[in-house]
Amino acid sequence: IKVAQIVDAKIQGDIVVCAAYSHELPNYGIKVGLTNWAACYATGLLLARRTLQKFGLDEKYEGQTEPDGEMYQVEEDDDGPRPFTCVLDVGLVRTTTGNRVFGALKGAVDGGLDIPHNQKRLPGYDPEEKELDAETCKKYIFGGHVQEYMEMLQEDDEDRYQSQFAKYIENDIGPDDLEEMYQNAHEAIREDPSPKPTEKQDSYPDLKKKKMKLSQKKDRVRQKIAAYKKKQAAAGGDDDDEDED
């Protein structure tokens, strides 16, 4: 699960102003691939639209309504409130070019948040030419890299395709369906980014591991020792058979 948050640092501690999670994406039509670059972009977009809606800025700062992969920065409106500004905190994530954290960044910026950044870490950036290939970046936004990989496996390794994309097949999602799926999700997020309440259950399974008694711990150790000795004895018997041969 990918998490994107707006955090306000105060003396008494950090306060989460707003948050968006990739497990919310099925509410907007993205039912599979919740951790890839395109899903991170959608999560960042959801965070941006939700935050701006909370502060009444969603109509004033719509962001990049038609993602094209180009470098985009929010421009301040001289006649209205300033844009919502924040700083990217990647934590311990490796800031390599094309990292998924920059997918969330791109989605948040396209969603209307003012986040200082440049194009050097977006997919499609050429360090030699010092230019961003917008088509490559747009391909990642709409899952084009996943589509290419799916098509390659379909041609070269059908078994691996069936295994690796089992959830896609189960939901009847093929390579040609990805772009439309993400495009519809972006529109749905912009239409209603508000969080959806989850269904509460009367009771939940107890996932906490119960503590063992001392007698149970000792018995477990005895079982492990016996299993190890049995395995060693079996291995020794196999070696004797090979020597006789």
Side-chain angles (χ1 to χ4, degrees):
I1 296 172
K2 300 301 178 183
V3 182
Q5 297 177 327
I6 302 290
V7 178
D8 186 11
K10 294 184 177 294
I11 295 177
Q12 60 267 40
D14 293 344
I15 298 175
V16 178
V17 177
C18 194
Y21 305 87
S22 63
H23 68 239
E24 297 181 77
L25 297 181
N27 296 331
Y28 300 97
I30 304 175
K31 299 180 180 179
V32 291
L34 302 183
T35 59
N36 62 34
W37 207 95
C40 290
Y41 176 92
T43 305
L45 177 66
L46 178 59
L47 174 69
R49 300 312 301 164
R50 183 173 291 173
T51 302
L52 295 176
Q53 184 188 60
K54 179 178 180 179
F55 291 96
L57 298 171
D58 51 328
E59 294 184 2
K60 200 71 175 177
Y61 294 99
E62 295 185 350
Q64 185 72 295
T65 55
E66 296 182 3
D68 54 8
E70 295 283 356
M71 178 68 180
Y72 176 78
Q73 289 276 21
V74 176
E75 295 183 2
E76 183 176 344
D77 189 344
D78 296 333
D79 300 327
R82 291 178 295 175
F84 192 98
T85 304
C86 42
V87 178
L88 176 67
D89 181 5
V90 300
L92 299 177
V93 174
R94 291 180 180 272
T95 54
T96 53
T97 301
N99 193 295
R100 287 174 292 183
V101 70
F102 298 113
L105 166 69
K106 180 62 174 167
V109 171
D110 283 358
L113 293 182
D114 181 19
I115 307 175
H117 71 289
N118 58 44
Q119 60 189 9
K120 292 182 179 180
R121 289 294 178 240
L122 297 177
Y125 179 76
D126 188 339
E128 295 182 358
E129 298 292 334
K130 296 184 178 181
E131 291 182 355
L132 174 67
D133 183 1
E135 285 300 318
T136 300
C137 189
K138 181 180 179 181
K139 180 179 72 174
Y140 275 72
I141 292 173
F142 291 102
H145 59 302
V146 180
Q147 178 183 351
E148 290 178 355
Y149 184 56
M150 292 175 73
E151 291 172 345
M152 183 193 74
L153 287 185
Q154 281 182 325
E155 295 178 3
D156 300 340
D157 194 342
E158 181 65 25
D159 292 337
R160 187 173 177 183
Y161 172 77
Q162 295 286 339
S163 173
Q164 196 161 341
F165 292 97
K167 289 292 184 180
Y168 287 71
I169 297 171
E170 183 181 328
N171 287 275
D172 196 27
I173 298 174
D176 296 332
D177 302 321
L178 293 181
E179 183 175 354
E180 184 179 0
M181 178 182 75
Y182 288 114
Q183 190 168 4
N184 292 339
H186 297 166
E187 294 175 358
I189 288 171
R190 287 182 172 278
E191 185 175 340
D192 183 16
S194 57
K196 310 295 186 295
T198 57
E199 295 182 2
K200 305 299 181 183
Q201 301 178 9
D202 295 332
S203 61
Y204 294 88
D206 185 10
L207 301 177
K208 186 177 180 180
K209 192 174 182 180
K210 295 182 179 179
K211 292 185 67 174
M212 292 190 296
K213 297 179 180 178
L214 180 60
S215 59
Q216 292 175 318
K217 292 180 180 179
K218 289 182 177 180
D219 183 57
R220 187 164 176 242
V221 171
R222 282 194 293 268
Q223 290 177 8
K224 286 188 174 183
I225 293 173
Y228 176 76
K229 289 182 177 180
K230 185 178 180 181
K231 184 178 179 181
Q232 290 295 103
D238 293 340
D239 292 340
D240 292 340
D241 293 339
E242 291 177 2
D243 293 339
E244 291 175 3
D245 294 338

